[in-house]
Amino acid sequence: RSLSSQGRFWGEPPVPAPRDNRAIAPKDAVRLLELKNVGLAQIENEKFDDCDAAFAEISEALPDEPLGPRDLTIARLLAAEQIDSQRDAVRHAAALKEVESALQMMRVREGDSAPFHVLTARWAAASGDERRAAEELTQAAELAPENPAIWFELYESLRNSDDREFRERSRKALARAWRRRPQNLHLLIEMLQMQDRAHDPAIVDTLTGAKET
C-alpha cells in the first residue's frame, strides 16, 4: 500500500496551496520544493528515517500548511512498521511516540480531517489497539463518505477480528466501498468472496450488477 503524498488516499483531493500569506523568498521556495521531492523519494525507497528531517523542516517553514506534518506522520509510521515489536519492544514503543508527536502537529494544522483519522487509526493498529483503530477509521469514513479507500481500509482492518461485531462492521464497510466503485475489479472480487463465505443470497444481485457494469 502506497502511503506517499501523491497516492495515500484513493480519490483524495490534492493538498491545497499554502494558506500562509507571508511571502517566501524564491530561494527558500526552491529549497522547500527540493526537500519535499527528496522526502517523497526516500519514502518510495523505504528510507523512512532519512526523510524525517526533510518533512520536519517543511513543517517548521510552512506553519499553516498540512503537507509537512502529514508526510512526517506517514514516514514515522512506516519507520515504526519496520521494527519488530516482539524483538525490540522498547524501540518500537519509542517510534510510536514519535508518530504520536507528528499526529498532534497534524491535528493542529488540519483539524478534524479524514486523513488525520486514517493515520491515527494506523498508529492505533500499530499500537495494538484494534477498537481505537476501528473508531478512527469510522470517523474518517463519516468525514469522507464517498471515498471508497477509507471504507476498504476499515474492512481490511476488521475482517479477521475475533470480535463478531467488528466482523459485521467489516462486511458493511466493504459493501459501502463496492457501492462507490462497482466497476473496480478488486472490490468486486472481495465482495463476491465475502458473500460466498457467508452464503449470502445477495451474491446473485452482485453478480447481476457486475454483468451490467
Side-chain angles (χ1 to χ4, degrees), residues 12 20 97 207:
E12 179 191 345
D20 193 341
K97 278 288 186 183
L207 285 168

Side-chain angles (χ1 to χ4, degrees), residues 11-25:
E12 179 191 345
V15 174
R19 294 163 289 178
D20 193 341
N21 293 323
R22 293 176 298 176
I24 299 176

Side-chain angles (χ1 to χ4, degrees), residues 95-110:
L96 291 177
K97 278 288 186 183
E98 291 296 314
V99 176
E100 188 175 8
S101 174
L103 279 168
Q104 290 171 352
M105 189 187 307
M106 188 179 168
R107 180 64 179 266
V108 170
R109 296 289 175 89
E110 56 187 277

Side-chain angles (χ1 to χ4, degrees), residues 171-172 174-213:
R171 289 190 285 270
K172 290 180 179 179
L174 176 59
R176 296 186 75 161
W178 177 71
R179 283 198 298 270
R180 282 154 180 77
R181 289 291 189 280
Q183 301 89 355
N184 186 285
L185 183 60
H186 180 64
L187 287 176
L188 174 61
I189 292 172
E190 289 284 344
M191 188 71 177
L192 290 171
Q193 289 177 338
M194 181 188 72
Q195 290 177 324
D196 181 57
R197 289 192 299 269
H199 304 290
D200 186 347
I203 193 171
V204 176
D205 294 332
T206 303
L207 285 168
T208 302
K211 291 177 182 178
E212 293 175 352
T213 58

Side-chain angles (χ1 to χ4, degrees), residues 79-93:
E81 287 177 3
Q82 288 189 319
I83 302 171
D84 189 322
S85 61
Q86 299 298 318
R87 295 183 178 181
D88 200 345
V90 173
R91 186 163 161 251
H92 185 255

Side-chain angles (χ1 to χ4, degrees), residues 154-179:
L154 179 57
Y155 156 70
E156 281 197 312
S157 71
L158 298 178
R159 62 187 297 187
N160 296 318
S161 173
D162 293 331
D163 189 309
R164 183 176 179 180
E165 176 194 345
F166 279 177
R167 292 196 302 274
E168 180 60 27
R169 288 172 65 178
S170 172
R171 289 190 285 270
K172 290 180 179 179
L174 176 59
R176 296 186 75 161
W178 177 71
R179 283 198 298 270

